[in-house]
Amino acid sequence: MLIASIADQIVRGVDAVTDTLSAPFSDPVIRLGVTGVSRAGKTVFITSLVANLMDRGRMPQLVAARDGSIRTAYLQPQPDDTLPRFNYETYLGLLTAPEPAWPEGTRQISELRLSLKVQPRGLLSGFASPRTVHLDIVDYPGEWLLDLGLLDLSYAQWSAAALARAKDRPKGGAFLAQLAGVDPEADLDETQARALAESFTAHLNASREAGYSDCTPGRFLLPGDLAGSPVLTFAPLPTITGAKHTLGREFARRFESYKRHVVKPFFRDHFAKIDRQVVLVDVLGAIHAGPRAVEDLRVAMAAILGAFRPGRNAFLARLFQGRRVEKILFAATKADHLHHAQHGQLTAIAEALLRDAKDRADFAGATTAAMSIAALRATVEDTVTHRDGPLEVVRGRLLETGKQAAFYPGKLPGDPAHLLGPARAGAQAWLDADYAVMNFAPARLDLRPGDGPPHIRLDKAAQFLIGDRL
Ligand SMILES: Nc1nc2c(ncn2[C@@H]2O[C@H](COP(=O)(O)OP(=O)(O)O)[C@@H](O)[C@H]2O)c(=O)[nH]1
Ligand SMILES: [Mg+2]
């Protein structure tokens, strides 16, 4: 341990020296992390952000776009040769086609470099030539961040927590029933191990579908090329004594292996290099799913945001070595599902979730903000007459039928505590309200030259995240 940390420091030290030496000769780089659990809106966010940075007509809240400091923006080969490239052209093509469609879900990390030519501002700016700022955008699943918490847990501790969660979550009963017939002290049987892992994974996936966010190990949901490997073939077990060659002992070993070979490399190779971070959250989706999903979101967000606290555990502290993520934006996505009259309430809920996480985690000087945004606006606003008076709705094309429909998701409370309170108290359903969500298809676009795709507050988000560096 000691030797490892000294070696780490030496490597870091050398890094630091070369950084300073090369700094005057190389262009500044901003590494922007984009995360959120599956379907939170990462792909759409990055696609629209990049399109709107290339065509800046709809970005007035980004100061460098409004005042013309950004001269041009163009895509360049990314710096990391071994990371998949974010498939920007394909996604934009889908979203802007005559029959627009949402991109397929992505389940892995990817990267894209956008380079901006920026005219320096200030006294002598007229004489200076434009400088280049590289924006390296890294898209990675929020599920992977939740795994950070596993580093602090033994297999027995994780098992206890996972079994407790399984009790009243989807397909948890089936897994527990299967477990009842298993003796952890019996010799390892690979067929049984696989069956347990499959049943546990089915339970995690069903929980995720039902709106639960806290479903670890994250790579069970998004296995990529690790599918079927031993590091993903384990499940929680009740108390084990751990004699050699037993199922219990082997699962405990695989759990440790998962931490070492899956969790740590991600944090070391990707997470520790991020300067700015946006965490996307489908708050409306969770509200629709009910109080338990909202409570789970609150806990998961605290865990996700906890990953940005370098003092969180020894492993992270060593990785960051005093470096830190400078800005963290917590964004409630898909705000176009709500008339703007209710955006304030949505932002307040996002703020309350962020505050809760902040109360427990000091982000060591990182600036944080909460916003409600829509990366790609799929609706227009309207007012319809309802038996109780006028109702402020949004109108869009339904994904299932392609038909236009007006939609009212329900009245969000002005005080977020009216939702977060019952959620925390373990309510099963909302008492006095019902919230709906609707799947809208992306709107057909008719873009003027110089305009990017329509959005809500994407420019404000960009100003917060990168505005100070342009
Ligand atoms: N109406 C609306 N829907 C969105 C928006 N962003 C994402 N979505 C929906 O959320 C789904 C998941 O988005 P995606 O970017 O693929 O999520 P990811 O899994 O985090 O990359 C999309 O297929 C859309 O249905 C948005 O700005 N407005
Ligand atoms: Mg994606």
Side-chain angles (χ1 to χ4, degrees):
M1 196 56 156
L2 186 61
I3 292 174
S5 88
I6 291 172
D8 259 10
Q9 281 177 17
I10 293 171
V11 174
R12 276 266 160 187
V14 172
D15 268 1
V17 171
T18 45
D19 275 0
T20 1
L21 284 182
S22 58
F25 308 108
S26 61
D27 301 321
V29 175
I30 312 171
R31 279 184 83 86
L32 171 65
V34 179
T35 197
V37 296
S38 170
R39 312 220 32 93
K42 299 179 289 294
T43 303
V44 177
F45 177 88
I46 296 172
T47 307
S48 184
L49 177 66
V50 169
N52 275 293
L53 285 172
M54 297 217 267
D55 288 302
R56 297 171 294 282
R58 290 189 209 261
M59 297 293 272
Q61 298 281 323
L62 177 62
V63 175
R66 183 180 63 219
D67 71 7
S69 304
I70 304 177
R71 292 294 167 83
T72 53
Y74 49 96
L75 293 170
Q76 288 228 80
Q78 66 194 44
D80 301 278
D81 286 337
T82 55
L83 273 189
R85 179 177 182 275
F86 181 85
N87 201 349
Y88 170 74
E89 293 79 5
T90 305
Y91 301 141
L92 185 71
L94 280 169
L95 292 171
T96 56
E99 275 307 318
W102 297 110
E104 290 275 313
T106 42
R107 330 202 90 211
Q108 55 169 345
I109 185 165
S110 65
E111 181 182 49
L112 187 70
R113 167 168 280 192
L114 181 73
S115 298
L116 303 156
K117 277 251 183 289
V118 185
Q119 183 66 44
R121 275 164 291 192
L123 221 50
L124 300 172
S125 58
F127 302 101
S129 50
R131 65 202 167 91
T132 306
V133 179
H134 303 294
L135 178 63
D136 289 343
I137 305 175
V138 182
D139 170 359
Y140 65 93
E143 285 83 353
W144 296 5
L145 285 185
L146 293 174
D147 279 349
L148 186 65
L150 299 183
L151 296 181
D152 301 326
L153 299 178
S154 68
Y155 174 66
Q157 289 169 322
W158 171 74
S159 285
L163 294 174
R165 281 195 292 264
K167 274 203 191 75
D168 34 40
R169 289 192 189 180
K171 299 201 181 165
F175 170 68
L176 294 174
Q178 188 173 350
L179 206 53
V182 168
D183 176 9
E185 306 297 336
D187 278 1
L188 168 74
D189 166 0
E190 202 58 59
T191 314
Q192 184 184 50
R194 177 160 297 269
L196 282 172
E198 278 168 6
S199 168
F200 181 65
T201 307
H203 148 65
L204 289 183
N205 275 311
S207 303
R208 189 69 259 293
E209 287 288 300
Y212 290 100
S213 319
D214 175 12
C215 310
T216 55
R219 212 60 72 97
F220 279 43
L221 299 165
L222 306 160
D225 52 10
L226 292 177
S229 65
V231 277
L232 300 194
T233 310
F234 66 89
L237 292 173
T239 339
I240 46 158
T241 53
K244 265 200 172 145
H245 309 301
T246 60
L247 180 72
R249 175 76 166 260
E250 179 62 10
F251 274 12
R253 193 194 65 75
R254 290 180 188 184
F255 177 77
E256 293 305 324
S257 184
Y258 178 86
K259 292 200 276 188
R260 191 164 56 250
H261 297 298
V262 178
V263 183
K264 286 188 171 180
F266 161 68
F267 281 92
R268 189 181 56 226
D269 301 339
H270 306 299
F271 184 74
K273 295 176 182 162
I274 287 167
D275 307 312
R276 310 285 164 106
Q277 178 67 50
V278 53
V279 180
L280 301 172
V281 209
D282 186 1
V283 175
L284 287 173
I287 294 174
H288 165 68
R292 292 207 292 193
V294 169
E295 172 61 6
D296 189 69
L297 177 69
R298 185 184 68 80
V299 174
M301 280 309 117
I304 285 189
L305 289 167
F308 296 96
R309 181 170 45 120
R312 158 77 186 261
N313 62 31
F315 168 71
L316 264 198
R318 206 163 66 234
L319 275 187
F320 277 95
Q321 292 281 320
R323 255 191 89 260
R324 59 156 203 261
V325 178
E326 299 153 326
K327 287 177 174 239
I328 305 167
L329 173 64
F330 187 65
T333 51
K334 311 178 194 179
D336 57 329
H337 284 242
L338 282 180
H339 190 278
H340 77 266
Q342 292 213 69
H343 286 180
Q345 284 92 306
L346 181 61
T347 309
I349 295 166
E351 268 166 356
L353 288 167
L354 174 65
R355 200 172 326 116
D356 184 82
K358 261 169 94 167
D359 286 348
R360 293 198 268 153
D362 164 17
F363 296 123
T367 315
T368 55
M371 291 178 197
S372 49
I373 66 165
L376 188 81
R377 182 171 204 152
T379 64
V380 292
E381 299 188 338
D382 199 0
T383 305
V384 299
T385 339
H386 188 65
R387 56 185 146 76
D388 304 327
L391 199 58
E392 287 169 321
V393 300
V394 294
R395 209 176 264 293
R397 203 159 54 90
L398 295 183
L399 197 57
E400 285 77 21
T401 59
K403 294 214 167 66
Q404 286 285 330
F407 173 65
Y408 181 74
K411 185 171 162 40
L412 293 177
D415 179 356
H418 291 318
L419 288 178
L420 301 182
R424 192 177 273 205
Q428 300 291 314
W430 303 119
L431 256 192
D432 40 273
D434 216 355
Y435 299 100
V437 285
M438 191 143 272
N439 288 320
F440 289 110
R444 293 195 183 95
L445 300 178
D446 192 7
L447 300 181
R448 283 176 308 175
D451 272 2
H455 61 78
I456 299 172
R457 284 184 284 279
L458 191 62
D459 49 348
K460 196 174 161 205
Q463 175 62 28
F464 173 79
L465 287 167
I466 59 169
D468 62 315
R469 298 276 303 269
L470 302 178

